[in-house]
Amino acid sequence: MKDPDLEQALLDVDFLSVQSILHSWVKDNPDIDEILEKIQVIMESIGKKWENSSIALSQVYMAGKLVEKNLNELFEDFSHSIQKNQPKSLQKDVYTGVFEDYHALGQIILNSFLRLAGYNVINLGIGLTKGELCEQVKNQQISILLLSTLMLSSAKHLEETIRDLRKIKPNIVIFVGGAPFNFQQDLWERIGADYYGASPNAILPILNNIFKQFNPSNGHSMEVFQ
Amino acid sequence: MNSMERIFAAVQWQEVDRLPFILNLTHHGAKVLNLSIREYYSKAEYMVEGQIKLWKKYQDDVVIGISYFASEFKAWGGDVKFFLDGPPNSMRPNLTTPEAIFTAKPPQIDDIPEFTETLKTIRHLKEYFGDKVPIIGGIISPFSFPIMQMGFNKYIELLYQDRNTFNELMKKNMEHAVNWANRQLEAGATMIVYFDPMGSAEMIPPSLYLETGYQIAKRTVAQIKGPVVYHFASSSSQKNLPKLIELPIKGTSISNKDNITECLKIMDKKAALLGNLSGIQLIHTTPNQVIDKLNKIVNNVTPKTGFIVSDHHGEISYFVSDEILTIISQFFHKKF
């Protein structure tokens, strides 16, 4: 069940109400995992409202921002707190970046939703070039890469980049997102990405499935991607 | 009817010989001149020659007098990245703190080469086309410009949290926008396109737009000494239209997500609509699909005026082929 009070406070960008509600939750039950579960339901509902155009992008961004700000105050870097309690094999590491562009709002919103869903988000930065991405993939254990871009020309340039990244790491899973992909629904396939998500709500179930499938507790390992 | 007569008849909902169409061919000028996009925008001579060539080739109802949009960001001290196959884009934001905003100064138009080349372009196009073809000028709205200046996320936070700094930034951006628009009009631009994607209900709630971006638009448009067309740069405008028609504008864009029939009804003959082809969708489309799409648009426009068929972004993608552009042109020159 979602909590309508917190959701409404978030959509109203009501700083004080959000703070008061989250502080009272923690006072009642300081278990971060249970609080995150409740928050995920609300964030999913906000994501759905964004998808059906009943709320604006600024509300989605501020919702993630406000929840993270308060959780970080309450739990001292909540995302890090969750990850440090997990064995490395169970950590859900995902890498995100903005390709050839300096407009990062989409990535910032996605990072926020991912952290609130328990993912360990490693931000590769903005304005990434093909060369920089190839270096990162060579030097880091990147299995899941989520790239966003704003300009159509950059989206097109991703095709060659993805091809090169797969030469370095054939099993890398690549998600793409951003305005050009929203306007042309098959563009992600044309450039050779594995997945496309118009919103965090579209991306999270796919990611959850990937991690469920390759969770070591199911007898599999993320190492198949390495 | 020549293009000037057709466009102005359409915006006044008077009878037209055919619906006007605008291809928004900006950096396509580089393609027809076999230049890089960076070279194309470096000299007025290139932009003039490119626009004339494009107009002769496709015969759409305007020519574009402005340079690339990120040139405004460059004029305020920002860095711009050029591409071989797409519009130049603004790089890292440069007004990221309240201190930077309070000390920033609007650029002097005559000190900025991109601006002086743009004014020269407009003057030469005016000499060439006279009053037969409208010359499009344009500005980034004071309300949307901070997306480049501050970064989208920081700007959203400013809107919700710090109206004092927001007002300071708007004061400076408005001073620049009005000045830049009026200089283009003095040089011979027929109309100014006011690009304001931040105002779309996709970006901020309509209530927030009405107390911020709408007020800025009202004050800015009132000071621009010529016709103004509102543009949401491919974002939806349908929810904004009821209030927009109260502004002294000649038209506004609609996106491919908006409903033409409903939007025309809201306009109530007060201003024209522009749209709603998606340039991105035109890249991987077949000639028959383009014709179907154009037929659908035209069939939705009743009576046959008050509408200008156009790419909804305000700048058609470099990847849209000559074949598709030619088909669009032929569609309007041979039928309806």
Side-chain angles (χ1 to χ4, degrees):
Chain A
M1 250 292 282
K2 65 178 182 177
D3 190 312
D5 289 333
L6 180 61
E7 183 173 334
Q8 197 50 54
L10 288 168
L11 293 179
D12 292 342
V13 195
D14 181 344
F15 293 74
L16 292 177
S17 296
V18 171
Q19 186 184 42
S20 154
I21 293 166
L22 283 172
H23 280 248
S24 73
W25 282 12
V26 174
K27 202 175 163 194
D28 292 346
N29 178 5
D31 184 327
I32 178 74
D33 291 327
E34 287 185 28
I35 286 169
L36 276 184
E37 260 179 48
K38 286 166 79 174
I39 286 171
Q40 276 170 43
V41 176
I42 290 168
M43 297 309 283
E44 195 182 329
S45 170
I46 287 174
K48 276 184 190 152
K49 288 189 167 84
W50 158 244
E51 284 170 344
N52 68 27
S53 306
S54 57
I55 60 169
L57 190 60
S58 65
Q59 291 167 292
V60 183
Y61 168 66
M62 288 306 287
K65 171 94 188 163
L66 285 182
V67 171
E68 285 208 282
K69 179 180 179 288
N70 281 284
L71 289 184
N72 282 332
E73 282 167 11
L74 288 161
F75 294 99
E76 287 183 22
D77 191 353
F78 81 96
S79 185
H80 184 246
S81 311
I82 302 167
Q83 302 305 328
K84 79 176 178 198
N85 294 329
Q86 297 262 34
K88 182 71 187 159
S89 59
L90 283 179
Q91 278 185 14
K92 298 190 285 185
D93 293 348
V94 290
Y95 292 75
T96 70
V98 182
F99 182 67
E100 282 189 354
D101 205 282
Y102 295 84
H103 300 90
L105 185 65
Q107 186 215 20
I108 293 169
I109 292 173
L110 177 65
N111 288 354
S112 180
F113 274 67
L114 290 172
R115 281 191 292 266
L116 290 170
Y119 283 90
N120 183 37
V121 180
I122 300 115
N123 184 353
L124 297 177
I126 60 177
L128 294 165
T129 62
K130 183 178 82 165
E132 285 165 349
L133 273 173
C134 287
E135 276 303 300
Q136 295 276 12
V137 168
K138 257 182 216 162
N139 299 327
Q140 299 203 56
Q141 298 290 307
I142 301 178
S143 304
I144 312 275
L145 179 61
L146 298 100
L147 293 171
S148 81
T149 197
L150 178 74
M151 310 292 279
L152 177 64
S153 49
S154 302
K156 293 255 185 193
H157 300 163
L158 261 178
E159 184 170 4
E160 194 186 327
T161 303
I162 289 174
R163 217 168 29 233
D164 286 2
L165 292 176
R166 291 201 197 286
K167 281 180 197 158
I168 300 166
K169 192 169 282 186
N171 292 327
I172 191 168
V173 177
I174 299 172
F175 287 69
V176 292
F181 301 102
N182 301 341
F183 281 111
Q184 195 192 332
Q185 297 283 321
D186 63 349
L187 186 60
W188 65 276
E189 282 180 296
R190 287 175 183 272
I191 62 159
D194 296 298
Y195 299 102
Y196 146 75
S199 68
N201 271 6
I203 290 167
L204 274 168
I206 305 170
L207 270 181
N208 291 342
N209 265 339
I210 292 172
F211 278 92
K212 201 169 151 192
Q213 199 179 344
F214 294 104
N215 188 315
S217 60
N218 292 338
H220 299 289
S221 165
M222 283 302 290
E223 281 165 15
V224 295
F225 292 123
Q226 309 300 330
Chain B
M1 277 181 143
N2 64 31
S3 291
M4 187 75 85
E5 291 161 345
R6 188 175 299 115
I7 290 274
F8 276 93
V11 300
Q12 292 168 79
W13 288 68
Q14 292 165 359
E15 194 179 331
V16 286
D17 56 344
R18 61 165 172 79
L19 282 186
F21 75 104
I22 298 177
L23 291 173
N24 288 320
L25 297 162
T26 53
H27 49 337
H28 274 259
K31 215 185 246 185
V32 292
L33 296 181
N34 286 321
L35 292 172
S36 71
I37 290 167
R38 182 192 284 271
E39 277 178 296
Y40 176 68
Y41 283 127
S42 68
K43 283 186 184 170
E45 288 75 8
Y46 295 149
M47 292 188 271
V48 172
E49 194 187 344
Q51 286 301 314
I52 292 172
K53 270 196 165 186
L54 289 166
W55 181 80
K56 284 181 176 169
K57 195 168 183 186
Y58 302 114
Q59 297 271 307
D60 66 336
D61 285 303
V62 301
V63 287
I64 309 293
I66 42 177
S67 180
Y68 60 97
F69 293 103
S71 62
E72 290 201 45
F73 179 66
K74 194 173 176 205
W76 284 72
D79 289 325
V80 168
K81 185 173 178 177
F82 280 82
F83 294 91
L84 293 173
D85 51 10
N89 196 5
S90 61
M91 292 175 73
R92 288 183 193 278
N94 61 349
L95 296 184
T96 52
T97 62
E99 294 71 36
I101 290 169
F102 277 92
T103 54
K105 283 186 182 154
Q108 296 294 311
I109 302 295
D110 296 313
D111 292 345
I112 309 294
E114 284 79 3
F115 287 169
T116 53
E117 291 303 303
T118 296
L119 293 176
K120 213 191 284 179
T121 302
I122 293 171
R123 277 194 294 271
H124 286 311
L125 289 173
K126 180 71 179 171
E127 279 166 24
Y128 186 88
F129 289 103
D131 291 329
K132 288 180 182 156
V133 180
I135 296 153
I136 300 297
I139 54 171
I140 304 173
S141 88
F143 185 62
S144 290
F145 193 27
I147 296 173
M148 289 184 186
Q149 294 173 304
M150 299 184 68
F152 212 155
N153 56 319
K154 293 288 170 204
Y155 181 40
I156 290 172
E157 289 169 35
L158 183 84
L159 257 180
Y160 283 106
Q161 295 176 48
D162 184 358
R163 285 296 165 86
N164 185 37
T165 308
F166 168 77
N167 289 337
E168 178 69 16
L169 184 56
M170 288 305 108
K171 193 173 81 184
K172 289 177 176 173
N173 284 356
M174 278 172 61
E175 180 190 326
H176 164 68
V178 168
N179 188 18
W180 181 217
N182 285 334
R183 288 293 300 273
Q184 291 177 54
L185 288 166
E186 281 166 25
T190 314
M191 60 183 72
I192 297 297
V193 182
Y194 182 92
F195 285 95
D196 195 18
M198 187 68 178
S200 166
E202 288 186 64
M203 304 298 170
I204 59 171
S207 57
L208 182 59
Y209 169 66
L210 283 183
E211 68 179 66
T212 55
Y214 183 75
Q215 302 305 325
I216 301 298
K218 201 172 173 181
R219 283 153 56 196
T220 308
V221 170
Q223 295 176 71
I224 295 176
K225 297 169 184 164
V228 173
V229 170
Y230 215 102
H231 210 295
F232 290 87
S234 74
S235 295
S236 167
S237 64
Q238 191 161 346
K239 289 181 187 168
N240 302 71
L241 296 181
K243 285 300 287 182
L244 274 185
I245 55 173
E246 292 176 16
L247 296 178
I249 55 171
K250 298 291 179 197
T252 179
S253 70
I254 58 168
S255 88
N256 70 335
K257 292 165 246 173
D258 296 322
N259 181 301
I260 293 177
T261 313
E262 287 171 17
C263 289
L264 281 168
K265 205 170 160 190
I266 299 169
M267 295 311 279
D268 194 25
K269 302 189 178 181
K270 293 197 171 86
L273 291 176
L274 288 90
N276 59 352
L277 287 167
S278 159
I280 293 182
Q281 287 175 358
L282 290 176
I283 299 167
H284 296 291
T285 196
T286 64
N288 282 340
Q289 285 169 331
V290 176
I291 292 167
D292 282 350
K293 177 71 187 165
L294 291 169
N295 271 319
K296 268 185 199 154
I297 291 177
V298 170
N299 290 340
N300 276 319
V301 178
T302 315
K304 299 288 179 216
T305 186
F307 197 92
I308 298 166
V309 180
S310 161
D311 149 64
H312 69 174
H313 189 58
E315 178 173 67
I316 205 158
S317 167
Y318 199 69
F319 297 105
V320 177
S321 67
D322 172 52
E323 182 191 18
I324 295 298
L325 294 173
T326 304
I327 284 165
I328 298 173
S329 171
Q330 287 174 349
F331 179 91
F332 286 98
H333 285 286
K334 285 186 178 170
K335 61 185 293 193
F336 172 65

